[in-house]
Amino acid sequence: MVQRYVMSIDQGTTSTRCILFDARGRLVSVVQREHHQHFPRPGWVEHDATEIWRNVTRIVPDALAQAGVGAGQVVGLGIANQRETTVLWDRRTGAPVSRAIVWQDTRTDQMIEYLSREPAAKRVRELCGLPLTTYFSAPKIRWLLQSTPGLQERAERGEVLFGTIESWLIWNLTGGLHVTDVTNASRTMLMNLRTLSWDNELLEFFDIPRAMLPEIRSSTEVYGTTTTVVPGIRIAAALGDQQAALFGQTCFAPGEAKCTYGTGSFLLLNTGQNLVLSKHGMLTTVGFKIGDEPAVYALEGSIAVTGSLVQWFRDGLELISSAPEIETLARTVEDNGGCYIVPAFSGLFAPHWHSEARGVIAGLTSYITKGHLARAVLEATGWQTREVVDAMNADSGLALSTLKVDGGMTADNLLMQFIADVLDVPVVRPMVAETVSLGAAYAAGLSVGYWPDLEGLRRNWHRAGQWLPAMAPSRRDTEYAQWRQAVELTFGWMRPSTNTARPPRTDLIEVILDDHRQIEHLLRELRNEDADRTSLLAELSAVLTAHFTATERILHKRVGIDVTALSEEDLEDAVNAHIRDEERLLLNELRRSLSPSDRTALGRAFRHLSS
Ligand SMILES: Nc1ncnc2c1ncn2[C@@H]1O[C@H](COP(=O)(O)OP(=O)(O)O)[C@@H](O)[C@H]1O
Ligand SMILES: O=P(O)(O)OC[C@H](O)CO
């Protein structure tokens, strides 16, 4: 009898894997390729979507060749992908309009700051389950539409399309099918979690044209058939990679949870058909949706930096030459020597959601060696997990009893033991560590009837490793308190008032936004009863007069606020209305109408008058 297999593509942050699985969920072949990480400015992270596609065109035939399998033996393909990462491409040529903006990228932090002051901002979380931060796709789309002249209009005409990576790959594999699955759509900030469709209020809030969005489908269904690379394979499932890991760990029932330790780490708890809105900094997201069945929701604790801290230790500090060496180095010392590393490289994600936070190394003394630093690197992953589990327990009202883990970092025994110690629960790892790929394969196999039901898949789960808690409670409590103290130190690092190192900006939009933030800062200070009001009022008056003069002379727009004639309260109202109108209407108009060189020239002139 001809053997049949399921194929999965796991398009991750650092690499893309193609794996063939047999009916018992065993790996038959694995091919992997890394792609470049682009860091063009501090806080910016980009991928070349064309390079990712090219890698897919290579690994798919290679995985078949390695196993000696023909396309006809593949019952279906499941795709799992890094989530949120935003690709915009031309509908006609299929070419990306720019590099993809990666989920870790923080360039939209200022945009988030002003959007969060909009009255409608409080609706965002209610509608899509996500906090308003740089992490998700909508601000990234907004940024691309604003920063490229003419792109907004082209998007409105449906000439430019948006997709997360699975959408981009399906488009290319099928020669033009524009779809996404609910799990990926739930990470855009544009999907209504209850209706599972694009939400008008959210589209309006982010000013994103509906015409550029893909059709939302379930996670397991046949979307289409490949027409290129290896033609004739049914694309039968797509899930965000962390949801795929939830599926691969067979967390099918409410109350089951897993944490995947890769570049970042992501703890997901299945909450069934119950959509739980977190009060403690978790996200609400779609876990999976099998065909026509109702969606299964999940609570998620996303940690931005875990494995990537090990990479930084290796590539940035060059203290080790391979990731596994971190464990050897950490074992050269007994403990962390009082040193803590809080890796807020992309701000802090769950449960804090501080976009302006930046990393710290705390507790340094001359006693500290690179061994202690290595321990602090690994412990950072443990403590971040602890914070997320505490928040998850508080939201669900239940105490997690075991943690199922997977991902590259689970090869580290010292780390796994530390996680069991700080959580005070057993940590278990399954036989198949490639849980993301397995989950995508399970979903595809289920979709085409290769596997009959979820119970059959559960039987494939076998424990390969277990770590039991062994830390004394008093030590755990003391060290956790120190960790939390170190976390506090990261907050507020990038606020405009403390960021003196940055050169003055010249882009007109940024210059105006900087002025607005300074004005708001002064208004806030005035509310402080202990402040020196006389000098603050004088400063505010000078800043406002200069800003309004620049607005009238450079933008030829009458402001009509008499700074000297209004009471303090009326002045505050009038200034807030001015800021709101300008940011909502005028700045968008300027973004559309001005060329980059005009924006720089006018920005310089504006700054000259307003400072
Ligand atoms: N033995 C180890 N100890 C600690 N971290 C490790 C170890 N091996 C790999 N890593 C980290 O795990 C990450 C790779 O895991 P993987 O699951 O492949 O990530 P992703 O899917 O996000 O690309 C890297 O960031 C690497 O630094
Ligand atoms: O590609 P990974 O494994 O780093 O996962 C990235 C997440 O999907 C980001 O939300």
Side-chain angles (χ1 to χ4, degrees):
M1 202 178 77
V2 181
Q3 289 292 326
R4 303 207 178 273
Y5 305 91
V6 188
M7 178 184 277
S8 72
I9 294 175
D10 169 10
Q11 201 306 294
T13 309
T14 49
S15 71
T16 313
R17 267 167 274 214
C18 181
I19 303 187
L20 281 175
F21 290 93
D22 68 12
R24 293 175 64 185
R26 290 176 308 199
L27 277 72
V28 178
S29 66
V30 185
V31 180
Q32 176 170 2
R33 283 187 95 95
E34 290 205 2
H35 55 269
H36 292 98
Q37 308 291 317
H38 299 270
F39 305 109
R41 294 196 204 177
W44 290 33
V45 188
E46 298 178 347
H47 288 165
D48 179 349
T50 306
E51 181 189 6
I52 289 177
W53 166 240
R54 214 173 28 246
N55 285 350
V56 168
T57 65
R58 291 179 182 159
I59 60 176
V60 170
D62 286 357
L64 289 171
Q66 198 185 78
V69 165
Q73 288 170 267
V74 178
V75 295
L77 162 67
I79 300 177
N81 57 289
Q82 54 168 323
R83 306 162 305 166
E84 302 93 16
T85 297
T86 296
V87 191
L88 262 52
W89 69 93
D90 184 302
R91 182 196 284 277
R92 198 176 49 80
T93 64
V97 302
S98 64
R99 287 212 200 108
I101 304 186
V102 178
W103 58 276
Q104 299 147 315
D105 190 293
T106 55
R107 77 185 65 183
T108 55
D109 52 0
Q110 289 225 350
M111 180 198 297
I112 292 294
E113 207 181 309
Y114 76 74
L115 280 175
S116 63
R117 276 178 284 101
E118 291 279 325
K122 59 181 179 306
R123 291 275 294 150
V124 171
R125 194 179 195 134
E126 275 166 52
L127 293 168
C128 69
L130 308 171
L132 191 51
T133 71
T134 57
Y135 177 23
F136 306 103
S137 312
K140 301 182 199 301
I141 305 174
R142 178 78 252 124
W143 191 92
L144 285 169
L145 293 177
Q146 277 176 354
S147 56
T148 318
L151 206 59
Q152 176 87 22
E153 292 73 17
R154 289 173 62 205
E156 274 160 16
R157 291 194 297 267
E159 294 167 14
V160 169
L161 304 179
F162 154 75
T164 35
I165 296 281
E166 86 300 343
S167 194
W168 164 246
L169 295 184
I170 295 173
W171 166 275
N172 281 290
L173 283 166
T174 58
L177 189 64
H178 193 209
V179 296
T180 182
D181 93 293
V182 269
T183 65
N184 277 294
S186 77
R187 318 296 296 189
T188 58
M189 291 200 108
L190 299 172
M191 189 186 83
N192 185 307
L193 263 191
R194 290 164 189 83
T195 63
L196 306 181
S197 46
W198 302 123
D199 185 277
N200 283 337
E201 224 178 302
L202 292 169
L203 293 179
E204 194 179 318
F205 182 75
F206 290 105
D207 198 8
I208 290 175
R210 184 181 277 268
M212 70 188 304
L213 302 179
E215 186 186 337
I216 303 175
R217 303 275 197 86
S218 71
S219 327
T220 70
E221 63 176 275
V222 177
Y223 309 113
T225 302
T226 57
T227 56
T228 178
V229 187
V230 180
I233 298 178
R234 288 181 292 177
I235 307 175
L239 298 124
D241 55 7
Q242 301 309 320
Q243 283 87 343
L246 188 74
F247 214 78
Q249 287 270 25
T250 66
C251 295
F252 301 135
E256 294 184 313
K258 68 86 205 180
C259 191
T260 302
Y261 290 94
T263 312
S265 294
F266 303 86
L267 195 151
L268 269 76
L269 169 75
N270 181 325
T271 62
Q273 290 173 35
N274 196 3
L275 190 162
V276 181
L277 281 182
S278 171
K279 293 192 175 66
H280 300 92
M282 299 292 99
L283 312 177
T284 312
T285 198
V286 178
F288 50 88
K289 179 171 165 16
I290 300 177
D292 295 334
E293 293 176 22
V296 168
Y297 293 96
L299 272 174
E300 173 175 324
S302 331
I303 307 169
V305 178
T306 53
S308 53
L309 183 62
V310 177
Q311 281 167 7
W312 174 74
F313 202 70
R314 184 193 63 191
D315 306 334
L317 300 188
E318 299 182 15
L319 290 171
I320 48 175
S321 53
S322 72
E325 271 178 46
I326 190 109
E327 180 172 358
T328 317
L329 183 56
R331 284 190 189 276
T332 60
V333 291
E334 284 293 303
D335 55 29
N336 64 16
C339 177
Y340 293 82
I341 301 182
V342 186
F345 294 176
S346 304
L348 277 177
F349 282 17
H352 307 288
W353 301 110
H354 273 266
S355 296
E356 87 303 337
R358 288 299 177 269
V360 297
I361 304 181
L364 286 180
T365 59
S366 45
Y367 172 75
I368 297 299
T369 63
K370 59 185 177 180
H372 297 111
L373 290 175
R375 261 196 193 254
V377 163
L378 293 178
E379 291 184 3
T381 295
W383 292 122
Q384 291 186 100
T385 310
R386 168 70 193 264
E387 290 184 313
V388 161
V389 168
D390 282 358
M392 191 81 89
N393 287 345
D395 269 333
S396 67
L398 300 167
L400 185 81
S401 57
T402 320
L403 184 66
K404 284 179 165 179
V405 297
D406 54 85
M409 289 187 101
T410 61
D412 195 307
N413 281 300
L414 185 65
L415 172 62
M416 292 302 109
Q417 181 58 49
F418 188 72
I419 293 172
D421 285 342
V422 299
L423 297 184
D424 201 20
V425 299
V427 168
V428 293
R429 190 181 60 198
M431 201 78 89
V432 179
E434 299 283 358
T435 331
V436 170
S437 299
L438 184 64
Y442 277 172
L446 209 60
S447 166
V448 296
Y450 183 69
W451 285 297
D453 54 27
L454 298 179
E455 279 318 303
L457 299 178
R458 262 190 203 285
R459 284 193 289 276
N460 284 343
W461 197 97
H462 300 290
R463 190 175 78 198
Q466 171 165 255
W467 295 266
L468 300 173
M471 189 185 262
S474 58
R475 181 173 158 208
R476 178 165 50 233
D477 294 347
T478 312
E479 296 203 9
Y480 191 25
Q482 280 171 344
W483 164 262
R484 282 189 303 217
Q485 207 179 332
V487 169
E488 295 277 327
L489 297 174
T490 69
F491 296 161
W493 196 258
M494 287 300 283
R495 292 220 172 96
S497 55
T498 56
N499 183 20
T500 48
R502 197 173 59 194
R505 302 204 280 186
T506 50
D507 179 274
L508 177 65
I509 311 285
E510 291 178 346
V511 170
I512 294 173
L513 288 172
D514 279 353
D515 265 16
H516 288 173
R517 299 298 80 85
Q518 191 193 357
I519 292 165
E520 283 166 349
H521 173 72
L522 291 169
L523 287 171
R524 258 196 314 274
E525 293 284 293
L526 269 173
R527 281 183 229 127
N528 177 354
E529 286 171 4
D530 300 330
D532 174 357
R533 299 180 54 75
T534 317
S535 61
L536 270 176
L537 277 170
E539 192 183 350
L540 178 67
S541 166
V543 170
L544 284 175
T545 307
H547 178 75
F548 293 153
T549 306
T551 307
E552 297 198 347
R553 295 228 192 117
I554 307 292
L555 303 178
H556 308 294
K557 184 175 175 284
R558 223 183 85 69
V559 178
I561 299 175
D562 187 343
V563 175
T564 51
L566 292 173
S567 71
E568 209 178 298
E569 213 168 76
D570 288 344
L571 182 65
E572 182 166 349
D573 286 347
V575 168
N576 280 333
H578 162 86
I579 291 178
R580 215 173 33 243
D581 286 353
E582 211 162 75
E583 292 190 7
R584 213 168 156 69
L585 305 171
L586 181 71
L587 295 195
N588 280 331
E589 192 187 308
L590 295 176
R591 283 182 183 107
R592 280 181 203 134
S593 57
L594 294 179
S595 68
S597 57
D598 283 350
R599 275 167 65 159
T600 307
L602 290 173
R604 286 212 175 94
F606 197 103
R607 182 169 291 286
H608 181 68
L609 279 176
S610 71
S611 56

